[in-house]
Amino acid sequence: MSNPSTTTAPPPVQLLNVQVDGVWHQFPKGTRVIEACTQAGKYVPRYCYHPKLSSPGNCRMCLIEMGMPKMGADRKPETGADGKPVINWIPRPQISCAQDVAEGMGIRTDSPMAQECRKGVMEFLLINHPLDCPVCDQAGECRLQEFSVEYGNDSSRFLEEKVHKPKHVDLGPRIVLDDERCILCSRCVRFTKEIAKDDALGFVDRGSYSTLTAHPGRRFDNNYTLNTVDICPVGALTSKDFRFKMRVWFLKETRSICTSCGTGCNTVIGSREETMYRQTPRENNDVNSAWMCDYGRLNFHYLHDERRLTAPLLRQADHTLQPVEWRKAFATAAQQLREFKGEEIAVVASARMTNEELYMTRRLADALKCSLVDVVPRTGEADDILLSADRNPNTSGAQLLGIGGDKLGSRLAEIVEGVRTGKIHAVVCLGEDLSEQGLDAKVLEELPCLVAMSILPNATTRAATVVLPGSGFAEKRGSMINVKGRLQRLNHAIPSPGDARDDWEILRDLIQALTGSNGLYMIEDVFKAMSNDVSALQGLSLSKIGDLGVQVVTEAESREVPKTPLETATAAQPT
Amino acid sequence: MEIPAELERTIDEVITHYPASKRSAVLPLLHLLQEHFGFISKETADWVATKLELQPINVLEVVTFYPMFRAAPPGQHHIRVCRTLSCAMGGSYKLMNDLCELAKIERPKHAGHGTPFTVGEDGRFSIEFVECLASCGTAPVCMVDDDFYENVSRESAAEILAKYHEASPQTVS
C-alpha cells in the first residue's frame, strides 16, 4: 500500500547546520533558505517566490540578513564559546528565495535590517498600488493586504500622482486583469511558461510603467489559466467565474477532490450555506502538485442547476411522474423489481459513483440475483499535464470492486440488446443516461420497470417508473480511486437540494426494501463492510485515507506530476 | 514587410554567434532590423520571434523595454536631446521647446513613456529626450541622426536644422 515512488530507498541526504535567528537547525542539502526559515518556524514574507516555480528573485520581499562562518588562519571555521561556528554577517541584505542553505550559514529573519527592508519594499509596492481593497475581489486572501498589516507603514509619504495602467483587461475567456494592482511578481508568467507550457504572458514597457500583458491579438486561453488567479498574490488576475460572487471570508473551506477526470486533483471547495462558489487546487505532490485544470475547476455549476431533481418521482396511471415520499418510492421500486427474475434485470452504474456507492450497487445486484451489471466508460482527450483521457473519476474503483468485468462497458451492448429484444424487463440505471447508449425514449418507456437514480433529469429519468434524486460530488462523503491507483476522499461541503439524498443511502434503503435490514447505518459501516470484502482496502477506513489519500492498487496510467525544470534538475541531481 | 536577402544572410550569420540559445540573438537582430526599417513594426517583431523560435510576447518584451527601439517610424531626421542632470540644468528643456518650435513639431504635454518621440507634421524631423550623451561639460547637447552637437543655443539650433533642410529638401508627404 506504500507509494511506489517511495519504495526505492532514497540516497542518503547530507544534513547541514544552519543558524536561524540564533538557533541551530539541520536541513538537508539543497533546501532553499526561504524554505529552511519556514521549517524553523520563521515565515519569511514573499510575493514572487513559489515553491513550484523557478525563482527570479524580483520582488525583494524575502530579504534577510545572512552570514557565513568566519574562517581562521588555518582556513577552518572559528568556533565560539558555544562550540558553534562564529558567523561573519554580510553587511547587505540577501534574498532568501534564490539561495540554498550552506554549512555553518547564519540567517536573521527578523533583525532590524530585515525589518527595515520589508518596510521599504512594502512602501515601494504601495506607491502605485490602487487602494481599492473594498471592491477588490482578492480582499481577504491578498498577500499585499496581509503583509501591509504585518510590515507596512500606517500612512503614505507619497504625494505624487499614481501611475495609471490598463484596467479591466480581458486577458482570456476566464481571466480579467487589472494592471494597476499588479506588483510584477511574474508568478503567472512563469506558471504559464513552466507548467502550462504556453509562453503567453510577459511584461512590456519598463520601470514604473511595466505592464503585464498577453501578446496583442493573442488570448490567454489554455486549460490551466485559472491557476494564475490562485497564485497571483494580489487582485491583478481574477476569475471571471468567481469574481464578485462572494467575499472570500464568508467561504467555508472543505477538502475534497475533483471528479471531472481520472486524475482526481485534490481541491478545496469554497461554499457558503447551500451554495458552492468555487473549487481551488490543494497541494498533493503525488497527484496534482499545486494545480488543476480549468475544465475540472469550473465543472460544478450543474450542482445548482434549477432543474435538479429534488424529490422522488413515481410514474402514475396517467403516465405522468409525480413526487412521492421516499418510503413510497422505495416500496414501489422494490415491488416492481420483485416481479422479475435475476436474468430479466440489468444494472447500469456509473464510474462517477464513489466506491461506497459502487459497493452498494454490487449488493443491490446480489439482492436482485442479477449478474448483468456494467459501468459506462467515458473518455476524452488527454493532455501532458493533468487531464486524463479517462473522464470517469473512479474507473479504478469500479474495477477493484469487480463491477463491469475486466473491461468497463463490455456488457453494455448485451444490456442494450436485451432491452430492445424484450429479454430484459427491468433496468436499474444509476447516474447515467441510457439514451446515450442508443436506447431512445420510446424503447425506455416500454420497460415495465425502470428505476433511475440521478441528480439531473435526462431521457432515462423522463422514461423511468421510479426516479430517485441523488447527490452531487460536493454534497456527499465517500472515496474514489484515481487512475494512479490512489484512494482519495470526497467530503460533504453543501447540503443536497430539497429531498434529494446521499446516493449510498438510497441504495441502502432500496436493498432494505428488497431484503430487509442490512445493518448499515453510516457510511463508515459501508466502508468497513467493503474493506472486509476487498483485500486491497483491508485495514482502511474513511478517516485513515487522510487528506492526501493512500496508494491501494498499482497505477493504471503512469502520469507524471507536473514539475518545473528546476524540480526536475533537483530530482536528477546526486546528493 | 520584406527582408532583403542580404540582410537575412547577415541575420542568419549573427544567430550562429549564439550557439547556446538563439534567444540571445534578439537584441542584435532588432538592431539590424531597426537600422534597415527605421523602426520595429509589429510584423518585424513577430518575424524575429518566428526566426528565433520564440513566442511573439518574448520579443515584444524586449522591444518595449529598451527606449532606443522605436515601435513607429521616426521622421527623416531624428533628434535626441539630452536631459540628464548637467544638460537639464544647462537648459535642455528650453532646447527641446526651441527645437520643436523651429522644426514645427507639436510635442504633446505628456510626451514620455509610450509615446517617447514626436514626429513633425511634415515628417522631416522627429524628436525625443534621451539620457546622458556623455558631454556634461558642454551642456546642453543633442544629436541629429548620428551627428553630435554641443552648447546648442536657439541660434545654433536653427543653423543645425537648416543644414538638414538643405541635405534633404524634399518634403515627405
Side-chain angles (χ1 to χ4, degrees):
Chain A
M1 273 193 296
S2 64
N3 184 344
S5 63
T6 57
T7 45
T8 46
V13 181
Q14 192 189 341
L15 289 175
L16 303 173
N17 296 296
V18 178
Q19 191 203 68
V20 181
D21 292 340
V23 182
W24 286 91
H25 298 265
Q26 285 196 319
F27 302 106
K29 193 182 172 187
T31 306
R32 283 285 155 102
V33 170
I34 196 168
E35 295 292 344
C37 293
T38 310
Q39 285 170 31
K42 303 282 183 175
Y43 181 83
V44 177
R46 77 287 303 261
Y47 294 110
C48 73
Y49 174 76
H50 189 284
K52 303 291 180 195
L53 301 173
S54 61
S55 295
N58 60 14
C59 79
R60 320 309 288 181
M61 192 62 190
C62 69
L63 286 166
I64 44 122
E65 210 174 339
M66 188 186 287
M68 292 304 289
K70 188 178 180 186
M71 293 294 182
D74 56 354
R75 303 305 302 150
K76 293 230 169 69
E78 281 180 23
T79 47
D82 58 352
K84 300 285 189 187
V86 176
I87 293 167
N88 255 350
W89 294 95
I90 303 170
R92 293 179 307 278
Q94 308 288 316
I95 50 171
S96 57
C97 67
Q99 214 175 140
D100 289 352
V101 289
E103 179 60 35
M105 180 186 269
I107 298 162
R108 286 172 178 161
T109 66
D110 213 20
S111 64
M113 188 206 274
Q115 286 178 4
E116 200 187 333
C117 287
R118 283 173 202 160
K119 221 172 173 173
V121 171
M122 282 307 301
E123 188 168 16
F124 275 129
L125 285 174
L126 290 171
I127 276 181
N128 284 314
H129 193 87
L131 295 177
D132 60 352
C133 300
V135 295
C136 176
D137 207 49
Q138 188 80 1
E141 51 181 6
C142 173
R143 289 299 190 197
L144 199 62
Q145 262 189 349
E146 287 163 20
F147 296 152
S148 286
V149 174
E150 288 178 71
Y151 312 107
N153 294 319
D154 53 3
S155 59
S156 171
R157 292 188 290 171
F158 191 70
L159 303 172
E160 293 79 0
E161 189 163 343
K162 289 177 188 256
V163 169
H164 291 292
K165 292 187 193 175
K167 291 182 92 74
H168 313 295
V169 181
D170 185 23
L171 210 53
R174 292 172 293 283
I175 309 273
V176 182
L177 163 68
D178 183 324
D179 261 309
E180 290 189 344
R181 291 182 189 152
C182 176
I183 57 164
L184 309 169
C185 75
S186 81
R187 278 183 175 183
C188 54
V189 179
R190 285 173 283 141
F191 168 82
T192 192
K193 183 179 178 181
E194 294 166 13
I195 305 291
K197 312 285 183 215
D198 174 28
D199 197 356
L201 302 176
F203 292 122
V204 294
D205 298 342
R206 69 203 302 249
S208 307
Y209 299 90
S210 281
T211 303
L212 174 71
T213 184
H215 193 262
R218 245 211 78 176
R219 302 274 281 165
F220 182 42
D221 184 16
N222 60 59
N223 194 21
Y224 292 85
T225 57
L226 284 167
N227 290 291
T228 61
V229 174
D230 301 333
I231 58 176
C232 180
V234 293
L237 296 169
T238 47
S239 156
K240 284 186 189 173
D241 184 67
F242 175 69
R243 70 201 302 247
F244 309 136
K245 295 277 170 27
M246 184 50 63
R247 307 264 62 187
V248 296
W249 50 82
F250 291 128
L251 292 180
K252 179 181 83 174
E253 297 198 327
T254 307
R255 291 169 186 203
S256 193
I257 55 168
C258 173
T259 56
S260 293
C261 86
T263 304
C265 291
N266 289 209
T267 60
V268 172
I269 292 172
S271 62
R272 186 183 185 190
E273 303 204 341
E274 289 165 6
T275 310
M276 172 170 170
Y277 287 94
R278 69 173 179 186
Q279 55 185 339
T280 46
R282 178 165 58 88
E283 186 172 325
N284 186 335
N285 291 325
D286 288 311
V287 181
N288 57 310
S289 186
W291 323 115
M292 75 187 295
C293 77
D294 292 359
Y295 156 72
R297 183 193 298 249
L298 298 180
N299 190 18
F300 71 89
H301 292 291
Y302 65 87
L303 293 177
H304 302 303
D305 193 308
E306 56 184 20
R307 296 169 302 162
R308 275 292 294 267
L309 297 167
T310 55
L313 305 171
L314 269 193
R315 177 78 53 196
Q316 307 295 316
D318 63 357
H319 292 287
T320 59
L321 281 169
Q322 294 299 332
V324 291
E325 282 191 359
W326 275 103
R327 218 179 330 174
K328 172 97 169 141
F330 290 130
T332 313
Q335 192 191 353
Q336 288 180 3
L337 287 165
R338 265 197 227 103
E339 300 278 317
F340 303 101
K341 293 197 212 78
E343 57 268 28
E344 292 171 324
I345 306 174
V347 176
V348 176
S350 173
R352 284 172 168 169
M353 296 164 82
T354 64
N355 292 325
E356 293 75 6
E357 291 155 16
L358 288 168
Y359 176 73
M360 295 305 287
T361 304
R362 209 170 87 174
R363 300 254 299 225
L364 175 68
D366 290 347
L368 295 169
K369 297 188 175 59
C370 157
S371 61
L372 198 52
V373 184
D374 207 347
V375 165
V376 177
R378 188 171 274 109
T379 53
E381 208 176 313
D383 66 17
D384 292 336
I385 306 169
L386 286 169
L387 187 61
S388 167
D390 187 352
R391 293 290 204 271
N392 275 329
N394 197 24
T395 302
S396 307
Q399 280 166 336
L400 185 69
L401 290 162
I403 294 177
D406 289 340
K407 194 171 181 303
L408 295 193
S410 56
R411 302 196 74 186
L412 282 175
E414 196 184 327
I415 295 172
V416 169
E417 192 54 28
V419 172
R420 279 221 182 93
T421 56
K423 190 170 159 261
I424 289 170
H425 299 290
V427 178
V428 178
C429 180
L430 305 170
E432 293 288 352
D433 183 4
L434 296 169
S435 72
E436 286 170 11
Q437 306 308 318
L439 291 171
D440 59 32
K442 204 163 160 287
V443 179
L444 294 173
E445 273 163 18
E446 276 167 21
L447 277 170
C449 169
L450 174 55
V451 178
M453 182 172 77
S454 184
I455 65 168
L456 283 166
N458 57 34
T460 307
T461 62
R462 280 188 284 271
T465 53
V466 183
V467 177
L468 307 170
S471 295
F473 73 97
E475 298 159 3
K476 60 191 180 189
R477 295 175 68 206
S479 64
M480 291 186 176
I481 303 174
N482 78 356
V483 286
K484 293 178 88 179
R486 197 173 188 82
L487 179 68
Q488 307 193 103
R489 256 190 342 204
L490 287 173
N491 277 310
H492 179 278
I494 51 171
S496 316
D499 286 337
R501 274 208 199 168
D502 216 334
D503 301 35
W504 81 266
E505 288 180 320
I506 296 173
L507 292 164
R508 188 250 338 248
D509 290 355
L510 184 56
I511 298 167
Q512 200 159 310
L514 282 161
T515 61
S517 179
N518 48 32
L520 301 171
Y521 301 105
M522 294 192 297
I523 195 162
E524 280 80 3
D525 301 330
V526 182
F527 197 95
K528 197 171 173 191
M530 181 168 68
S531 67
N532 283 337
D533 284 0
V534 182
S535 62
L537 302 178
Q538 245 161 36
L540 284 168
S541 65
L542 269 180
S543 61
K544 278 185 188 161
I545 294 173
D547 287 330
L548 297 178
V550 283
Q551 198 70 25
V552 288
V553 285
T554 47
E555 42 190 278
E557 179 185 306
S558 67
R559 172 169 288 275
E560 280 270 313
V561 178
K563 280 193 179 66
T564 65
L566 183 87
E567 278 184 311
T568 316
T570 323
Q573 210 174 55
T575 42
Chain B
M1 187 195 73
E2 210 172 301
I3 311 276
E6 198 188 331
L7 178 61
E8 185 151 9
R9 268 197 299 280
T10 314
I11 283 171
D12 287 334
E13 197 275 327
V14 164
I15 295 171
T16 64
H17 297 196
Y18 306 93
S21 164
K22 276 206 268 188
R23 186 171 186 162
S24 306
V26 171
L27 271 180
L29 256 58
L30 290 175
H31 278 300
L32 285 168
L33 289 161
Q34 176 155 306
E35 252 168 55
H36 179 79
F37 291 110
F39 69 107
I40 307 287
S41 67
K42 191 186 167 294
E43 292 73 40
T44 313
D46 290 353
W47 185 87
V48 172
T50 313
K51 188 84 188 164
L52 300 176
E53 293 165 40
L54 295 171
Q55 289 299 316
I57 184 75
N58 302 138
V59 178
L60 187 70
E61 284 179 308
V62 178
V63 172
T64 57
F65 183 85
Y66 292 104
M68 72 272 197
F69 288 129
R70 293 183 289 265
Q76 272 178 302
H77 301 287
H78 187 62
I79 310 169
R80 295 177 172 91
V81 181
C82 175
R83 64 145 169 224
T84 309
L85 191 60
S86 302
C87 285
M89 292 173 76
S92 60
Y93 283 83
K94 184 183 172 295
L95 177 59
M96 171 61 87
N97 287 340
D98 288 344
L99 281 166
C100 284
E101 212 179 295
L102 293 164
K104 296 190 179 66
I105 299 172
E106 236 176 277
R107 195 166 156 80
K109 205 176 163 201
H110 293 291
H113 199 88
T115 50
F117 68 94
T118 319
V119 188
E121 231 173 76
D122 59 2
R124 193 183 289 271
F125 292 102
S126 53
I127 195 160
E128 71 176 325
F129 269 131
V130 294
E131 301 312 322
C132 191
L133 294 178
S135 188
C136 300
T138 56
V141 300
C142 72
M143 283 176 81
V144 181
D145 297 337
D146 290 334
D147 308 326
F148 187 54
Y149 298 97
E150 297 164 290
N151 294 314
V152 189
S153 62
R154 188 180 169 95
E155 292 69 37
S156 59
E159 282 166 32
I160 293 164
L161 292 180
K163 211 159 76 179
Y164 290 91
H165 264 285
E166 284 159 29
S168 51
Q170 281 169 326
T171 305
V172 177
S173 58

